[in-house]
Amino acid sequence: MTLTPRAKWWVASAVFGLLLVGLGGYFAVVGLDRADQLSGIGGLFVGLIGLALAAYGTYAARSTGPPPAPAPAPAPTAPGGVQGNTFHGPAFVQSGENNRQENHHRP
């Protein structure tokens, strides 16, 4: 059975929520002092894992090489010209039935 991405997020959220509820229940059973010690140790490991992932991400970003060169600029056209389907320069366009198109430009 293949889950959709949305279903995967729901499953992951439900598992994470159950984990938090279970951890909260465990901390309530062991007492505040012991829960404080355990959460401090857990926070240490989470911080170290985050530091390692940040270092790896920095290394991976730098090892991909320089970004690609930008595309060259298009060749300039004369003012008021038409190149392909593009008008260059000032133009006045009317569309509809029985309309005329006039392009006014000053040299």
Side-chain angles (χ1 to χ4, degrees):
M1 179 173 92
T2 304
L3 294 176
T4 64
R6 186 174 187 155
K8 288 179 184 178
W9 277 109
W10 276 106
V11 170
S13 298
V15 169
F16 186 70
L18 289 173
L19 179 69
L20 287 179
V21 168
L23 193 59
Y26 175 73
F27 284 162
V29 170
V30 297
L32 188 59
D33 289 334
R34 182 77 174 136
D36 183 41
Q37 293 172 352
L38 292 173
S39 62
I41 293 170
L44 171 71
F45 285 113
V46 169
L48 289 175
I49 291 170
L51 180 63
L53 288 174
Y56 173 74
T58 301
Y59 172 74
R62 290 185 183 203
S63 66
T64 58
T77 59
V82 177
Q83 184 180 20
N85 293 331
T86 306
F87 289 97
H88 297 278
F92 177 75
V93 179
Q94 291 180 331
S95 62
E97 292 184 24
N98 299 322
N99 283 328
R100 213 170 47 140
Q101 176 179 333
E102 296 180 27
N103 295 331
H104 301 281
H105 66 276
R106 296 179 186 94

